[in-house]
Amino acid sequence: MISLAVGAAGWVGFRSPGDYAAFEFPPLPRHDQWTAVKPLLENTLDFLTGDRWSFTFLPNGPSKPNSVGGKLRKKSNLTGVDSVCLYSGGLDSWLGVKHLAANGSNPILVSHSYPQDAQRQNYLYDRLGLTLQRLAFNASPRQSGGANDTTMRGRSFNFLAMAAVCADAVAELNSLNQVPLYIPENGFIALNAPLTPRRIGSHSTRTAHPNYLSLMQELFDIVGIKARIQNPFWNQTKGEMMLNASLSVDDQRYASETVSCGKWKRKSEQCGRCLPCLIRRSSFHRSGITDTTKYTYSVPQNFAEREGVKKDDLLAVIRAVRPTTPNERLAKALKTGPLPTANNDRQDWLAVYDRGLAELRDYLISQGIKCD
């Protein structure tokens, strides 16, 4: 259980078994409005993180928060900006920015930037050939007197919250009723159905899951945040995203310099055999684009080794891509969370899930790995 108190006392407290931490925050305005959405907010974070959350909102906050202290490196000019796009330096977000620009959008890019992330984000931005406004921030999950939270399960809440701030500012400045807030993520990883029964919970992130985004949209609507969450790639696999992008020769090379691996900061290179890396490698194979990414485990003899402590993701993928019945796949897909009730939408989600598994299977077979 994680309990938080927010408001006039000027702090937020996190409680979990044996741990407590306090962080300084300004008092909370609009106390009654946030109290009304307390159950929805708790339910949203419960679903996202797998933890149990409890909020207490304290009154008497100022009507307008004080400006943030410290120096700003650069101010964003929101004049003419018509949307917000999450920009992580990953392959999907990079393709997403290119897609939006090609279709006439002028988004501000919002990034969650640790130092190495920021370097890669800046490098790839410079190669987009675009002039877009940007906002980058760093929220470090540290606890005073306790262990740091290294799971990062709640990171996407911070990400969306900062994007919502941008969307509201864009709407106010440009007199817009609502601003598109884009989350570029392929449908297979957005659904992120558990590969095996034991990978439910914190092993299956829900950052772009349709149920999570639906809950966040409901929260935005009730409290008056002028953002409309959209994932333009929800019905495409990662390989289909790459194939549909019609990348130039230079862009194909830059695609290999994006980051998919969650472990890459340990050695400043991507491992090549975790689940995100395997999905990435299968997407290059599906699109016919040469993958020049530097992987720690680069050749099949290395990443396909099934023994030792680093075998879990590969074995889970091999198990997941084996033929199953439609009912079995539906049951697995629903383990991550509810799917839209409209039959066409639900069928589209299941279809992209099937195609994502097929991409993984085809890639592994191409590398001489048996999946029967």
Side-chain angles (χ1 to χ4, degrees):
M1 169 71 77
I2 301 176
S3 300
L4 298 92
V6 187
W11 55 265
V12 177
F14 292 79
R15 286 188 178 88
S16 56
D19 290 320
Y20 175 80
F23 303 90
E24 292 297 326
F25 277 88
L28 179 71
R30 298 194 296 173
H31 161 264
D32 292 341
Q33 187 175 40
W34 283 99
T35 298
V37 297
K38 167 180 154 63
L40 174 60
L41 182 59
E42 292 170 347
N43 185 34
T44 301
L45 281 165
D46 287 353
F47 178 78
L48 174 66
T49 67
D51 297 315
R52 295 293 302 278
W53 291 76
S54 175
F55 285 83
T56 300
F57 297 109
L58 306 181
N60 303 321
S63 59
K64 185 176 182 180
N66 297 325
S67 61
V68 178
K71 296 181 179 179
L72 293 174
R73 294 183 182 178
K74 183 180 178 181
K75 293 182 180 180
S76 295
N77 180 2
L78 300 182
T79 304
V81 172
D82 58 16
S83 54
V84 179
C85 182
L86 302 190
Y87 177 67
S88 66
L91 180 54
D92 288 18
S93 74
W94 184 75
L95 290 172
V97 175
K98 292 184 69 64
H99 170 81
L100 292 174
N103 285 276
S105 293
N106 181 29
I108 178 172
L109 308 185
V110 178
S111 301
H112 197 288
S113 299
Y114 298 112
Q116 283 181 279
D117 291 330
Q119 292 174 13
R120 187 60 59 97
Q121 289 160 2
N122 293 337
Y123 174 84
L124 292 166
Y125 172 79
D126 290 341
R127 280 146 187 83
L128 285 168
L130 302 170
T131 303
L132 300 173
Q133 297 301 307
R134 299 182 60 190
L135 170 68
F137 71 100
N138 181 354
S140 184
R142 300 185 182 278
Q143 297 186 30
S144 175
N148 294 334
D149 179 6
T150 60
T151 65
M152 305 301 291
R153 295 193 300 273
R155 179 185 181 188
S156 61
F157 185 83
N158 293 339
F159 215 168
L160 272 178
M162 292 305 298
V165 170
C166 282
D168 227 35
V170 169
E172 182 175 348
L173 180 66
N174 296 303
S175 301
L176 302 174
N177 292 327
Q178 229 172 23
V179 172
L181 194 171
Y182 295 110
I183 303 178
E185 186 75 82
N186 71 84
F188 181 70
I189 201 63
L191 185 58
N192 207 8
L195 298 174
T196 66
R198 76 180 187 86
R199 296 173 72 96
I200 298 173
S202 62
H203 289 286
S204 294
T205 60
R206 302 176 174 93
T207 297
H209 191 280
N211 185 59
Y212 171 62
L213 298 186
S214 176
L215 291 170
M216 287 296 291
Q217 186 64 61
E218 183 180 357
L219 182 66
F220 287 175
D221 291 344
I222 293 174
V223 300
I225 295 173
K226 297 179 179 180
R228 173 60 57 182
I229 302 172
Q230 300 180 37
N231 179 2
F233 303 112
W234 71 272
N235 59 352
Q236 298 180 37
T237 66
K238 202 180 194 80
E240 291 165 351
M241 285 181 64
M242 294 187 68
L243 194 61
N244 295 336
S246 299
L247 298 176
S248 68
V249 173
D250 284 342
D251 284 341
Q252 290 181 24
R253 186 173 70 254
Y254 300 145
S256 293
E257 299 184 46
T258 61
V259 174
S260 301
C261 181
K263 306 172 185 177
W264 79 282
K265 288 191 284 291
R266 299 177 185 177
K267 297 182 179 180
S268 295
E269 64 183 17
Q270 302 182 71
C271 74
R273 63 183 295 164
C274 67
L275 177 58
C277 279
L278 292 175
I279 294 173
R280 173 192 179 89
R281 298 177 83 152
S282 69
S283 71
F284 275 92
H285 180 259
R286 169 70 175 84
S287 64
I289 296 174
T290 301
D291 185 2
T292 60
T293 306
K294 182 181 179 181
Y295 296 110
T296 303
Y297 300 96
S298 56
V299 297
Q301 295 92 315
N302 287 336
F303 86 79
E305 183 183 353
R306 303 190 190 191
E307 303 301 327
V309 297
K310 297 185 174 74
K311 64 183 180 181
D312 284 4
D313 280 8
L314 177 62
L315 292 181
V317 169
I318 292 172
R319 179 175 176 180
V321 301
R322 289 171 179 164
T324 57
T325 67
N327 285 340
E328 289 172 330
R329 292 195 296 277
L330 173 60
K332 186 180 292 186
L334 289 173
K335 286 186 181 297
T336 309
L339 291 177
T341 54
N343 189 57
N344 288 344
D345 286 348
R346 175 169 290 202
Q347 291 305 314
D348 285 345
W349 276 108
L350 294 177
V352 77
Y353 173 55
D354 285 346
R355 298 197 306 274
L357 289 176
E359 278 186 15
L360 281 166
R361 179 183 175 86
D362 289 347
Y363 173 69
L364 294 181
I365 291 175
S366 77
Q367 301 300 302
I369 300 173
K370 294 182 179 180
C371 298
D372 297 327

